[in-house]
Amino acid sequence: MIKIIAQIVFIFYGTLMFGQHYTLTDSLQQQYTFINWEANTIKHADSSNTFKKLYQKLDNIYKNNDEKLHVFHIGGSHIQADFYSNRLRHYLQNISTKAKGQRGFIYPYRMAKTNNPLNYKVTFDGEWKGYRCSRTDSVAWGLSGVSAKFKDSMSNINIKANYKNYSENTYDFNKLRVFYNEWSDDYAVTVSNNSLVTSQTRNSDAHYIEFSLNTTMSELNICVRKTTNNTDSEFLMMGLELMNDNPGIEYTTIGVNGASFAFYNRAAFFEQQLLLYKPDLFIISVGTNDTYTLNFNKKQYKAYYEQLILSIQKANPDCAILLTVPNDSFYKKQFANPNTKVAAQAIYELSEQYHMAVWDFYEIMGGYVSSQKWYDNKLMPKDRIHFTRKGYDIKADLLFKALINAWEQEMNYKPNTLLNQITKKGNRIE
């Protein structure tokens, strides 16, 4: 699976630099008749009080009121690359002039020698070794599920919240959190230009140091420096957070190539760090890798899924949780994977038990073996697990349309009123 991901990472790297308009036109629906367009709904949201609160917050932001809303989206390689999730982020943060919140939690994936989203950049010197919770590695992980280890004397790190073709959507920040093994005093983290720092605090429960700055900026240099002669000491980077005081929507992605529920369960500090936040919407897109096996265990899958739900509810009992059914896929390019249908049954059972909403992308794709049709139409690569750029665009637009339609229905807008305004010509997706 990891080898497949390496081959996919990513066949369209060069195409991501260009904006694209909302893609779900009538002509596209006529072209791809194998997609179950009628199934594209958020099921059971209309009976959920948490989704009613979510739509009210979205409506406040849409009307340019000061409101903060935090979206979390967790998954595997689909989310680590941040292709379709960034498209959703862009849509949501353009529903009004006050919609764009802070960039929030990110991970410097290149530091762990894996692919980084193209909408921010972290450069560094020194030798770092990466560890992912989805491998047989044994190390401490936090919310990101990825850690990078450093054992040298000093590393200079440059953080750019805005990169390449994202100049129209700059993320300024006036606070920075660095998540690391702060229980060790063998390394110190400092802002390279100390005159920018007005205060700093350490949190030993969630394992981070926070710097408050006297100005907002989109780029910052920090330094990791060894403070002892202990040859066994090491610095463990677990994540970064770029913060500001602006209202609007913050969209946090948590993605690890090859990750499943079992792997995220290995992240010892996941829950402690999640408790720092109060998510308003949590989209669970874990599952593709769980089903990628000849020995799928529905009971165990459901138990892991339920454990994540309970962790989210602990962070915010009022969080709207959207359970998404994984996409149809092929196992080792040889045969259609029958496990996704069984996983869908577990998801619907949890939805009924916890009164949560479902976005059934498996049904929307066309169900069993539909990934072959997506591949035949150049919407998936040969592995029939991931998607091409156009495939990810369609997936993002489908989820966005389902979410907006449910919001319109709850707030008594005419159908497609909000959708047409938000996706109007000129609102380009980077």
Side-chain angles (χ1 to χ4, degrees):
M1 183 66 170
I2 293 173
K3 184 179 179 181
I4 292 172
I5 293 168
Q7 292 171 346
I8 300 300
V9 177
F10 265 87
I11 60 176
F12 39 61
Y13 238 35
T15 69
L16 283 172
M17 296 294 96
F18 305 100
Q20 183 169 323
H21 299 300
Y22 181 72
T23 191
L24 300 189
T25 60
D26 290 339
S27 61
L28 185 128
Q29 294 186 37
Q30 293 168 6
Q31 180 182 359
Y32 301 128
T33 55
F34 53 89
I35 297 177
N36 187 351
W37 302 102
E38 295 300 318
N40 186 37
T41 61
I42 304 293
K43 299 180 180 179
H44 314 313
D46 55 348
S47 60
S48 169
N49 288 329
T50 59
F51 272 85
K52 293 180 189 298
K53 293 176 182 178
L54 171 70
Y55 297 139
Q56 183 60 64
K57 277 197 169 188
L58 282 169
D59 213 57
N60 289 341
I61 295 171
Y62 173 70
K63 293 173 179 175
N64 255 335
N65 296 323
D66 287 347
E67 180 83 77
K68 286 192 175 185
L69 189 152
H70 197 168
V71 178
F72 272 81
H73 196 164
I74 187 171
S77 54
H78 301 295
I79 304 303
Q80 178 178 327
D82 199 26
F83 294 143
Y84 88 95
S85 48
N86 184 62
R87 192 171 173 91
L88 289 164
R89 180 186 293 113
H90 183 92
Y91 279 135
L92 290 171
Q93 292 186 336
N94 281 278
I95 64 175
S96 75
T97 58
K98 290 187 177 181
K100 187 169 72 68
Q102 62 188 18
R103 184 59 177 86
F105 186 88
I106 61 172
Y107 192 83
Y109 290 100
R110 291 287 177 87
M111 194 175 278
K113 296 180 172 57
T114 184
N115 59 296
N116 199 86
L118 294 182
N119 46 63
Y120 64 88
K121 186 175 183 179
V122 180
T123 55
F124 51 90
D125 55 23
E127 291 297 320
W128 294 79
K129 184 176 181 180
Y131 299 86
R132 300 201 302 267
C133 65
S134 58
R135 302 191 303 199
T136 56
D137 302 336
S138 180
V139 76
W141 292 287
L143 190 63
S144 65
V146 183
S147 290
K149 186 183 292 186
F150 178 76
K151 298 187 66 121
D152 292 343
S153 59
M154 186 172 70
S155 178
N156 298 293
I157 302 169
N158 173 263
I159 304 163
K160 290 183 179 178
N162 177 64
Y163 185 54
K164 298 251 181 176
N165 203 33
Y166 289 79
S167 58
E168 295 179 1
N169 199 25
T170 302
Y171 291 97
D172 291 336
F173 58 95
N174 57 14
K175 288 183 182 178
L176 169 71
R177 285 177 179 171
V178 181
F179 292 83
Y180 72 107
N181 54 331
E182 53 72 46
W183 56 84
S184 169
D185 290 325
D186 291 339
Y187 282 88
V189 183
T190 57
V191 173
S192 298
N193 183 354
N194 191 55
S195 65
L196 295 171
V197 180
T198 58
S199 66
Q200 66 180 58
T201 57
R202 275 172 67 169
N203 185 313
S204 296
D205 293 323
H207 310 300
Y208 68 78
I209 186 169
E210 178 178 307
F211 300 97
S212 295
L213 310 175
N214 57 24
T215 186
T216 57
M217 54 207 325
S218 62
E219 181 177 352
L220 185 68
N221 294 310
I222 64 173
C223 181
V224 172
R225 182 181 288 106
K226 195 171 186 179
T227 58
T228 70
N229 294 321
N230 183 358
T231 57
D232 294 326
S233 61
E234 58 190 32
F235 180 89
L236 202 61
M237 172 67 77
M238 290 189 282
L240 302 166
E241 187 172 7
L242 313 178
M243 308 163 67
N244 60 41
D245 303 313
N246 299 337
I249 297 172
E250 177 182 357
Y251 197 118
T252 299
T253 53
I254 305 168
V256 181
N257 291 343
S260 64
F261 283 111
F263 289 132
Y264 277 118
N265 196 50
R266 299 175 66 205
F269 306 125
F270 185 97
E271 187 169 289
Q272 290 101 309
Q273 292 178 0
L274 180 59
L275 288 172
L276 292 170
Y277 313 100
K278 193 176 180 182
D280 298 284
L281 171 62
F282 206 112
I283 305 171
I284 303 177
S285 294
V286 185
T288 302
N289 294 302
D290 298 76
T291 65
Y292 196 80
T293 175
L294 295 176
N295 302 298
F296 181 68
N297 187 319
K298 176 186 173 183
K299 184 177 180 181
Q300 187 178 65
Y301 174 79
K302 186 176 177 180
Y304 278 129
Y305 211 125
E306 184 175 26
Q307 185 175 342
L308 178 57
I309 288 172
L310 294 175
S311 294
I312 298 166
Q313 289 184 324
K314 187 175 180 181
N316 181 15
D318 292 326
C319 179
I321 303 177
L322 180 60
L323 317 182
T324 71
V325 180
N327 57 271
D328 181 70
S329 63
F330 266 57
Y331 182 75
K332 294 187 176 180
K333 305 180 186 178
Q334 297 176 358
F335 56 87
N337 188 349
N339 297 328
T340 308
K341 186 174 182 179
V342 183
Q345 293 170 359
I347 290 171
Y348 276 102
E349 290 168 8
L350 288 167
S351 169
E352 183 176 354
Q353 179 180 348
Y354 286 96
H355 306 289
M356 292 179 177
V358 175
W359 186 61
D360 193 341
F361 187 56
Y362 178 73
E363 179 187 16
I364 296 163
M365 279 188 71
Y368 187 59
V369 198
S370 60
S371 54
Q372 181 64 44
K373 295 177 182 177
W374 283 61
Y375 167 64
D376 292 340
N377 285 270
K378 297 181 172 53
L379 300 179
M380 297 183 89
K382 194 173 182 180
D383 70 358
R384 285 156 291 183
I385 297 172
H386 299 87
F387 295 83
T388 62
R389 169 66 194 264
K390 188 171 185 179
Y392 276 121
D393 285 353
I394 291 174
K395 183 177 183 180
D397 289 6
L398 281 165
L399 179 50
F400 185 70
K401 184 177 190 296
L403 182 66
I404 298 302
N405 285 348
W407 167 15
E408 289 174 333
Q409 183 176 351
E410 174 63 30
M411 305 305 292
N412 294 317
Y413 288 98
K414 291 182 179 179
N416 296 320
T417 299
L418 297 176
L419 186 69
N420 291 336
Q421 290 182 12
I422 296 169
T423 60
K424 64 186 177 180
K425 186 176 180 180
N427 185 12
R428 296 177 67 80
I429 309 304
E430 304 297 344

